[in-house]
Amino acid sequence: MKGITFLNPEFFFLFLLLPVVIGWMYWKRNQQFATLKMSSVNGFKTMQSLAAKLKPYLFVLRILALSSLIIALARPRTVDISNETKSTKGLDIVMSVDVSSSMLAKDLLPNRLEALKKVAKTFIENRPNDRIGIVVYAAEAYTKTPVTSDKAIVLEAIESIKYDNVINDGTGIGMGLTTAVNRLKESKAKSKVIILLTDGVNNSGFIEPETASEIAREYGIKVYTIALGTNGNALFPYAISPTGEMLFRMMPVEIDEKLLKTIAKNTGGKYFRATNNNKLKDIYQSIDKLEKSEIKELKFYDYDEKYRPFVWIAGILLLVEILLRKTVYRSFI
């Protein structure tokens, strides 16, 4: 009976009546058969055949039949439950990532950029119901991938992010934020979010970060800002050797936290500081909890009714009893 449930388990109380039925049938057992009174049976053999011995127990078939009917009335069945989820309020998210040379600093392991990519991919995988886009920026900015629900494309875009001098080096926070706003301003999503990550000070671009944050607020876009970098000094790239290798030296970490806090406050977002790999992971988990899509879950129940075999068993038992009474145990008196 594993996995069996009962739609009407209250019918099992009928089993309490079975002892009453058995007692009644036992009490009336001598009245169920015709009798012949004789002055003496001395001239008859008193040995009973097996059939004669079993005749009083025909009522057992009826009790078993009643038991099967009670179980059938309780409606045994199995159920297969399947779930379907549907996003009712999806989010559009753009991740704006600083790809300046300072993102190669090694205060996070193996460096800031690779640590970010690992955490960002986990964040994307955990948001199957939202559309996500990627913007990268240094002194300039461009869209790596537009807002899309195709997570494979977004994950591939994240994996392919690298420092390659395609755009001029520098940190144009205003440029990265404005480009992200352009990707979301026409969005019809219920909620629009930008995750802006940088590890430095705004020193490039022709759009001021404060101006970009005002534009984001006008379009109802919330900006979460993340400052990436340890406190104190870190190994920064400062030159390229004749062999093409990046050279590193200890340099002070400079991040305009005041600016990032202002951007977050102006847009209703929140500011975070990631000083190591674990804190960066915790930040993305916090944002994941803060920005949730409303999910509508639909459950489908597929019932497999199991009462029919018990009805058949009850019918067969009653039929056997009737046949035995009408044939083997038929009385001529």
Side-chain angles (χ1 to χ4, degrees), residues 168 173 213 318 323:
N168 293 329
I173 296 175
S213 69
L318 289 174
L323 289 174

Side-chain angles (χ1 to χ4, degrees), residues 223-235:
V223 182
Y224 290 98
T225 56
I226 302 175
L228 188 61
T230 189
N231 296 310
N233 298 322
L235 278 173

